[in-house]
Amino acid sequence: MNTRVTAAMGIAAAGALFTGVLAGCGTTDAERNEALARAEASARPAPEPTMTLRPCPGGEIMRMDPAGTTSIKPDCFDQAVAEAIAEFPEPLPAGTSWLLETTDFSDPEVRSKQGDISIADGVQDTMVAGYWLCAWMDSYLQALDSGDATGQEHSMEYLAKYTSLPAIQENMVNPEVFDASVIAPAQAGDPAQLREFFKGDCSSFLRSVDSSR
């Protein structure tokens, strides 16, 4: 609790400092908002996973495959996800926790069914980005259905960042198609495609441990 209060006070103080400095320099609103965003990001604590993650035997997440390529050890995938969450550059909506579902590759029954699979480095980053997308879609749709225009606008600011995330830039094929078919129509007032995407691709999303959604 004390950490949260301190962080909030730090953001407020940094925001006041930036506002005072920038106002004296005759800066634009866009420059002032960018400065405030930087101040908030620097004061924000590093994100941590909320779900229970299985330990990585030996502590070494990566391995060299017989073909000479580097991949994630299947029984260390949870730790790769934990690192991806810790390094993720954007926040979740208020009241939402990191609750990704991962496969227990340490389970002998799972391993016998899956075999010796290879998990490419980057899968964990894309998975975390996908969960973040679902979280902000959920936030947007809640605001939409309750008539909260400010909440819609706030959520859309984050949704519009999805295809510019490093993991998506690196791993998503044709991100501009997603923007044009899902994000842009919602920005223009037609959220039908976004709602359909959420129903299909975010069907297992839970915003918190106590949530039915």
Side-chain angles (χ1 to χ4, degrees):
M1 185 57 141
N2 289 338
T3 302
R4 291 182 182 174
V5 172
T6 303
M9 290 170 63
I11 292 170
L17 175 62
F18 273 111
T19 300
V21 172
L22 293 176
C25 298
T27 53
T28 65
D29 287 342
E31 289 170 329
R32 186 175 297 109
N33 290 339
E34 182 180 351
L36 289 170
R38 286 199 302 269
E40 181 179 353
S42 66
R44 185 187 305 139
E48 295 181 357
T50 309
M51 67 284 189
T52 301
L53 294 170
R54 291 168 281 270
C56 173
E60 188 64 40
I61 293 176
M62 307 305 292
R63 70 177 183 183
M64 185 69 72
D65 292 332
T69 57
T70 303
S71 67
I72 300 170
K73 293 177 183 176
D75 52 0
C76 291
F77 184 67
D78 275 21
Q79 290 305 306
V81 169
E83 289 187 3
I85 290 173
E87 295 168 1
F88 197 74
E90 298 290 343
L92 287 172
T96 303
S97 305
W98 290 105
L99 295 171
L100 289 83
E101 293 183 4
T102 58
T103 301
D104 184 4
F105 290 107
S106 64
D107 184 337
E109 185 176 344
V110 172
R111 293 299 293 272
S112 66
K113 290 180 180 179
Q114 297 280 356
D116 188 22
I117 65 170
S118 179
I119 305 175
D121 188 18
V123 169
Q124 75 279 24
D125 299 309
T126 305
M127 181 178 182
V128 168
Y131 183 89
W132 177 88
L133 173 69
C134 289
W136 280 109
M137 282 189 168
D138 177 58
S139 175
Y140 173 84
L141 291 171
Q142 284 188 80
L144 175 68
D145 294 341
S146 64
D148 178 4
T150 301
Q152 292 176 55
E153 183 179 355
H154 178 66
S155 299
M156 184 53 68
E157 287 175 1
Y158 286 101
L159 290 173
K161 295 181 180 182
Y162 174 66
T163 55
S164 65
L165 293 172
I168 303 307
Q169 284 284 306
E170 186 173 344
N171 299 300
M172 188 178 193
V173 178
N174 298 328
E176 66 278 0
V177 174
F178 176 84
D179 276 338
S181 60
V182 178
I183 300 301
Q187 289 173 321
D190 180 8
Q193 288 301 316
L194 189 151
R195 193 182 293 276
E196 283 304 307
F197 182 95
F198 181 78
K199 286 180 180 178
D201 288 61
C202 304
S203 57
S204 61
F205 170 76
L206 284 176
R207 70 178 69 99
S208 70
V209 262
D210 311 343
S211 173
S212 60
R213 182 70 201 107

